Structures are given as structure tokens and as C-alpha cells.
Amino acid sequence: MKRKSECALWTVLTLSIATFAVGQSQNKPKLTPQDYGRWESLRGTPTLSSDGRWLAYQVHRVDEQRELRVRAVGADTEHLFPWGEDPNFSDDSLWLAWSVGLSDEEKKRLEKEKKPLRESAGLLRLVNGETREFEEVASLSFDSTGGFLALLGYPPKEPEDAGSTLRLLDLRKESETSFGNVASYAWSEEGSLLAVAVSTGTDSANGVQVFDAQRGRLHSLDASGCSYGGLSWRKKGPDLAFLRSVEKASSKRPAQRILAFRALDGDDPVRFELEESSADLGADLEISRHRVPEWSDDGLLLSFGLRPADGDAGAEDESAGKEDAPEDGEDASARNAEKDEPDELPDLQIWHTADVRIFPQQKTAEKRDKERTILAVWKPTSNEVVKIGSSFWEQARMLQGWRHGLEWVEAPYPWGAMFGRSYRDVWSVDVVTGSREKVLEKVRYSWPSAGGDYLLSFDGRDYWTFHLASRKRVNISGGLAATFVDKEYDTPTDLLPPHGVGGWLKDDQAVLLYDKFDVWRVAPDGSGGTRLTRGAEDETVHRVVDLDPDEEAFDPVQPIYFSTHGEWSEKRGYARLEPGASEVRSLISSDQRISGLHKAEDSDVLVYRAEARHDSPDYFIAGPDLSSPRQVTATNPFQDEYAWTRSELFEFQSEAGRRLQAVLLYPADYEPGRRHPMIVYTYEILSPQVHSYEVPSERDYYNFTAWTQEGYFVLLPDIVYRAREPGVSAVEAVRPAVRSVVEKGLADAERVGLVGHSWGGYQATYLPTRTEIVAASVAGAPLTDFVSFMGQIHWRSGNAELDHWETGQARMEVPYWEDPEAHHRNSPIHKVHEMNTPLLMTFGSDDGVVDWDQGTEFYNFARRAGKQMVLLVYEGEGHGLRKKANQIDYHRRILEWFGHYLKGEPAPRWISEGIALGDLEEEKKRVGEKVKQASPPSGESPPPKP
């Protein structure tokens, strides 16, 4: 549940924006679909050069054009590169390299000509703007000095498994070196050592080489007919490990050995080798290629993965799958009969109620399961191996410092794993002695400390630490004047979750814990804690921002940054706590969506993103205190040519007495005193979207901006749920939210529509069966039958719906037979005969999330009950529509549906009487031609709304 405070300035803010909207609607035209193609979106994460002098960012337009833009932070210099993506600055901040993608038209052309899709690469010298382009580059990477750039090409079709050409550019000397048959490569973290794995696609001349780019020296570490991979450099050290297959490269047997080399920056590196026979791995285990070896920081240990030994089962066998050749005149079928062997095996699945993972889940995870490994540690100097994991099915990891490893074991609690109430035991393994000990029993929430000294856990009320060296367990939060449990969590559970962990200080000096609004610094030994922020006083949520993700922990002598979010005001911003300071200082706070704070690696230059419903997103550059930020981008500068929406945040009370919020988006042509039609979009908590900018697009079929351009209000009400009452809770929230807008004289009560998808689609199906507050509804991929859906399969993941049903989004808490009345009360289909609202329902025929028989079942009930309903089925589509033509078609049909029922426009035949199979092609063309005439291509598919 969200509890929020009054917004004292709301009346003034609403009046001022409304005045602006009046002038806008009178003087500026609305958008038409022909205009959509101009609109720009910022995509991905902005990239700063290490010195903070350059910013690279990606812009995608609705007309399917996209580009990489590179801007000088302190000047107006900007470079634009069509189809650029994945920018990488060199560490010396002198160069930028990027991938050059393909346009959608080029992809279609190549696919039609059955040619491979291959990207290229670009290189920019920042000091003078010189650029170069390199064809057919699959990946690229600078070395740590910034003086060298590696460009890996695409492998040939034949021979299979052959590597490709690696081009190494010396950017200072402007020279180039090439390496052939490179399957993979890796730069050392320091210096300019380049490791390459050579694969010829044959059983000869394969190996691993290291090239010292500074000195121009090539050293072969190993050469054989085996296959190689898993190149792994030690952090901040010239040590390399890699995998080599036990058998020849053409063999199918996956067993590996590990080769490790120390001091590769010298003339006499030290070699170590781990193979099956050189360590006690056990007869049933072998080294796996599916876990890349990893070095400890000190270079004394290596972690790797073990898998079941295949023996000769996977090796090549020329007779495998072949029958013995029959002798002259011999009947092969008779010979098989004599052997009493069937010609083929049955197509069979066996499902058992004791399965913790049901058969479809096993099938979905089959490839991942084959790649599961048991974590182990190798000590090269003594050639000892210590197993950290005990099972392929459990999770294990090494702790910082590599003194201990941990394994989380779920096997003792199968019922919880099956039905959404998981628990685990935590086992600790001493890397020195190999001893194994259970340190925590039946926990759900647990995390290792950044320094590796502690194991943190949460019991539903308090945080506890377990000190791995002393074996001492203490409650570290019980004496603090804070509530760390999330009491407003509105999903049924037997153990409430915490608000979260913000991270650790270096050397495990303290852990940063969240309560509802604030961040606490808490000593892991239980000696106390301090509230660092003061968010509770004005109901502003503070959360830690990690500006250096390469570091495991926060340095206590450096400032800590926090994001801020006014829970009721929806103001966003950032704050900072200086070392030794007693109070956090707010740096920026605004009625905008401010997000994405990043820092240049070697300078105090920061970048963040700001946007609002009426203000296109842009990047801002500032110093460490974020004062005097400089806007360095200007997306969609032409927006002022058009009438535009504005957003309003208001409060209302649900029929259950809960204090909630909603976002109201105004029609672009809003006129005070005139009642407009309104579309309600439902899901869960939507008020944080008040400041989210949205470009108009026909491929985004639930596009709020497009709806406001069509003259609709758009209402996004918050819904908070009670256990076993998801549908009832939705009615209790949506009905008063709609009433609030109508009572303000804004929306026409007779012209209100409802839209939702998936869980929102359930609401858009449920409300019309229980209330008549909407004139028409659109439900995408909805749950319709609470009895049958409880027993269905989430086919995309293979999971049974039961855990999602009881302790997930459905929130039914118990199975059907324990509370059948609640299942009927909240099920749309059980009141379909009372539905008086026209309903448009949409499904993809291959929906792997909500099986589309939920749609056909409801359709048949509605048809028998004589109700007005249209079911759109997009063939081959999943839970969301991915094909461009389908996206645009659905977008247009939603507008036609609401155009008829909310605006009184004539009903197309598909709405009024349906379309026979023989007329379907013409109907498709009708909508397609309408789209073609109205707008250019509408761009990439945006991320789907919740």
C-alpha cells in the first residue's frame, strides 16, 4: 500500500498548467500519424569518456532511423553516426569506437538474398574528428592504455568452429597486425597483453597465444589439436587461465583441463595444469567448459566448474545411430524382431505429482541444466581441489578474499520451491581445510558481505549477521528505531520481505540498510546503527546510488550519493552525504523524472537524465554537487509546433478507505468547460509514470500520447490489492478514480473506456462483468477463468502457475478448493452473463504466458450469453505483439473501437457484425491501407507497458 502526504502546492500548479494548455490547444495543431516518424527517443545508457570531456548517446526515431551522437561536453561540437550503437571510449579519452548496425531495410534485403547479417565498426579520433570505418566486425575492444584496438571479424561458414581474423590497430603508430583463426580474445586488465584462442576448425594448429602489444612480442602458451576457450586474466595481474579440451577438437566429449600461467609480462612465465588424472575429482566428475575459470585477487587460487563425467558416451562413434548392414537377402525388420528391439521409441512425457520442477519446466531449462556445474577451487601450487558446491541444482559462489565459499541449498524444502514459498539452508566451505558447515537454516533472504567476513540474513522482522570466522550470529537491527520490513507489501506471503540492502562499506565496516524512507549505516557486529538520511520527515524515499560499479564496496572517505523520490509529490532528484557530515544535502529535486546518474571514471563529471510528460528527455552534465547543470542534448525540439498533453497527479480514496493516487493525462485539444471522452489504463501502481515522456508511435498499441492526440483523457489509477480479492480491489480503486475525474467536470461519464494487458487485461475483463462505469473495454491477453487458470502452465518458462497464483500477482493465497467463493467472486467468466459492456479481447495464438484458451473460453461463454464481444487472434504471436503489421493493426482497431463507442463514430463491419473468412483479406487490407496512407513506418517496437 502507498501512503502519501498532501501536496500543498497542487492547486496552484494545476491552474498554471491548465492555463498553458488552453493557449496551446487554441493555437497549435494536433499530431497526425504522418508526424510520428520525427519523434526521437534516448536509448541505452549514456557513456562518458574517462576524463569527462565527451558524451556518447544513442537516439532512435519512430521512423526506424537511429544514430549515435558524440558531443563535446564543454563545447558545441557534436558528431552524428547513422546506425551507431554500443559506444566505447578508450581509457586515455582520445578515441571512440562503436558498432555500426544495419537498417531494417538492409536486414530484409540481406535475408531475402540469403546473405549473412554482418555489422561493421567505426573509429573516431576525438581530438580532430577523423573517422574510419571497418567492415564485418563482430566485436571490438580497447586495451587498458587506450593505445590499441582489437577488431574481431566473422568466422567463415566452413570449416565449422573455425575462428576469424583479428585485426589489432596500434592507434599511436597507425599500424595494424592481424591474427588468423581467432575464436576468442581477451585483454589483460592492466597493460597491453592480448590473449587469443586459435581455432582452425580442424584437429591441428589450435592453441592459445599471448601478444605483448607494447613490445610486439608473440608467445605461444599451448598448441595442440584440442579446442580452447574460457580465456581469463587475473584482475590487476599478468596471469592467464584457460580451458583446453581433453579430446581432440572434433570430439564431442566435453571434458576439459585447465592451464594457468603466471607472470606473462616477463620472460619466464610459470605454467600449471589441472586435468582429471592430476587431482581427485572423483570418477563421476570432470572439468566443464560451461564455467570460465576465475582467479582470486592474489593469484593463488582458481575457481572452475565440475560436471558429470561422460566417459566415452559423447565421443565420436561412426556406428552411432546406424544399424548393422543386413546381409544379402536378409530382412532388416526381421532382424530387429529377432533382437526384440523396437524400431523407434515412443513420443512420451511422464509427469509426476512429486516433481519439484514439472516436466515443461525441465524441457524449457534443458539447455541451461546441461550447463550447470558444481563450483570448485583449484590451488595450482599444491594441485589441490576443494569442492564448494554439493549439487548441480544449487547456487554457490566464492566470497571476497576467497577464504570461504557459500552454497544455498533448496533441496530440503521442496514444497516451498513448488508453491512460491522458497527457503534455503546456507553452507559455508573453508577453502583452506575443505571443511563444510551449515551456517544458516531455512532462510529466504540472505546475502554475503562485500568483504567476505559476514553473511547477512533477514527473518521477516530483523537483520542478522553471521561472522564466518568466529561463527557468531547477532541481531544487528533489533535495537534500532526503524522498521526494515516492508509492511505495505500487498502480495500474500508467509514471510514479509525487507525494504532492501544498499551495500557495504569497505572492509565490512558497516552495511547500508533501507527502511521505508531512509538509509541506515549499521555495524555488522550488532553494536548499533545511525540513520544517514532524513526522508521520513517529508516522506521522501532515499536509496543509495552506486557511481563506481567496479568496486565491491563504498569507500567511507568518499561521499555517498542517494536518489530521492517524494512518495506523494513524485518529485525526483539526488542528494549527497559528505564523509563525516551529520546531514545529507539535497543536490537537485524537481517535478520531473530525474534518473540515470553516472560519473566519469577519472573526473568529477556527472551526467543524468531529466524528462516530464510535456518535456522530452535530455541529458544534463554537472559537477559533483550537481549545481548549474548544463543541458547537452535537445531531443524533439519541434514538439512546440504541436498541441501536447500535460499530466496531473491527484489523490482519491478507494472504496475500501485506502488513500491512493492517479495520473491524469489531458487531451492535446483540451478545452476548459468541455467534457472529453476518457480512456482508463489499469495495472498496479502507475502514479510514478506521471513524469514519463512518451513518443507517439503506432507500433506501441497502448500509446498514451497517441490517445491524448485523439482527444481522450487518459487515466492511470493506482490499485492496491487485498489477498484473495484482486478483482474486487480493482473495482474499489478504479470506480472512485473515474468518479473523481467526472466530478471535476473533465470527463464525460457516458464516454469512458477501459484498457489493460495481461494482469491489466484481467482487470479490463473483470470490471465489465461487475460494474457499468465504462462504455467499452479492451483487454489484451487477459486471465478470465480463476478456476482453470490456477492449474495452467506458464509455457514460456515451463512453470506451473500455482506459485504465481497463490503468492504472486494473482494474490489468491490459497488453492481453489480452500476458498471457492473467492475464486468465483474474482473471476471474470463467472459473471459473463451479466456483462453489458462491449468487450474487445486480443490474444496471440502462441501466447506462452497466458494460454489463449482463456480467451476462447470467455468468447464461447459470451457468445452463448448473447454479449457484444470481439476476439482478435494474431497468429504466431506471443504474449505481446512483435510483428510490425500486427502492432499497427491492433493500435488502429483500438482507436476504431473507442471511436465508435466513446465518440459515436460509425462502426466498421468487424465491430458491428464480424468478418467472414472469405472477407478477411480485404479487411486486413482496409486497415493496412489506412495505415499506409496515414503514416510512414512507425519505428521500432517500444518496450511493452506493464
Side-chain angles (χ1 to χ4, degrees), residues 627-841:
S627 62
S628 303
R630 179 171 181 245
Q631 182 176 334
V632 292
T633 64
T635 60
N636 302 316
F638 44 80
Q639 180 184 304
D640 287 342
E641 300 171 13
Y642 302 95
W644 200 257
T645 186
R646 69 176 177 87
S647 61
E648 176 181 313
L649 186 69
F650 70 89
E651 294 183 18
F652 68 96
Q653 189 177 67
S654 78
E655 293 172 353
R658 305 292 286 269
R659 187 181 176 194
L660 298 173
Q661 279 187 311
V663 176
L664 183 65
L665 308 182
Y666 277 66
D669 61 350
Y670 169 68
E671 296 178 14
R674 171 188 163 200
R675 289 186 181 268
H676 291 250
M678 181 169 70
I679 297 174
V680 183
Y681 186 88
T682 56
Y683 198 71
E684 295 191 359
I685 300 297
L686 298 176
S687 56
Q689 295 190 28
V690 64
H691 299 310
S692 297
Y693 187 85
E694 184 176 52
V695 300
S697 170
E698 291 193 304
R699 293 189 67 175
D700 177 8
Y701 31 86
Y702 306 125
N703 189 274
F704 303 156
T705 297
W707 294 347
T708 62
Q709 291 292 329
E710 292 287 336
Y712 295 102
F713 277 103
V714 178
L715 177 65
L716 313 176
D718 285 345
I719 302 173
V720 175
Y721 296 90
R722 300 197 311 277
R724 307 191 198 184
E725 300 289 6
V728 174
S729 299
V731 172
E732 292 172 345
V734 174
R735 193 156 48 194
V738 171
R739 187 183 307 118
S740 296
V741 181
V742 171
E743 290 176 350
K744 292 178 182 180
L746 301 175
D748 185 341
E750 302 299 317
R751 297 189 294 159
V752 177
L754 177 63
V755 182
H757 191 88
S758 191
W759 183 242
Y762 156 66
Q763 296 155 11
T765 309
Y766 180 83
L767 266 71
T769 67
R770 299 312 198 275
T771 178
E772 297 183 12
I773 62 170
V774 297
S777 188
V778 176
L783 294 66
T784 66
D785 186 340
F786 267 37
V787 178
S788 65
F789 193 82
M790 170 192 158
Q792 289 190 346
I793 307 295
H794 189 297
W795 292 108
R796 195 162 68 188
S797 65
N799 295 344
E801 277 291 345
L802 282 167
D803 58 346
H804 184 250
W805 193 251
E806 295 181 22
T807 62
Q809 197 168 41
R811 299 170 169 90
M812 288 309 292
E813 191 172 36
V814 295
Y816 165 73
W817 52 85
E818 289 189 24
D819 196 344
E821 291 184 2
H823 282 73
H824 286 208
R825 187 168 58 247
N826 290 277
S827 180
I829 208 167
H830 287 98
K831 288 285 187 179
V832 65
H833 57 289
E834 297 182 8
M835 181 179 74
N836 294 317
T837 302
L839 176 65
L840 173 64
M841 186 178 292

Side-chain angles (χ1 to χ4, degrees), residues 340-352:
D340 197 26
E341 293 180 358
D343 289 335
E344 60 182 31
L345 296 176
D347 297 323
L348 174 68
Q349 297 180 4
I350 298 177
W351 298 29
H352 196 287

Side-chain angles (χ1 to χ4, degrees), residues 31 41 62-63 139 216 234-235 288-289 297 324 342 372 391 448 476-477 551 611 735 758 771 899 913 925:
L31 285 171
S41 296
V62 175
D63 65 2
S139 67
R234 178 167 70 90
K235 291 182 180 179
S288 171
R289 69 175 181 269
D297 288 346
D324 294 337
R372 289 176 180 269
S391 169
I476 64 171
S477 65
E551 292 294 330
E611 65 186 283
R735 193 156 48 194
S758 191
T771 178
E913 56 187 87
K925 290 177 182 178

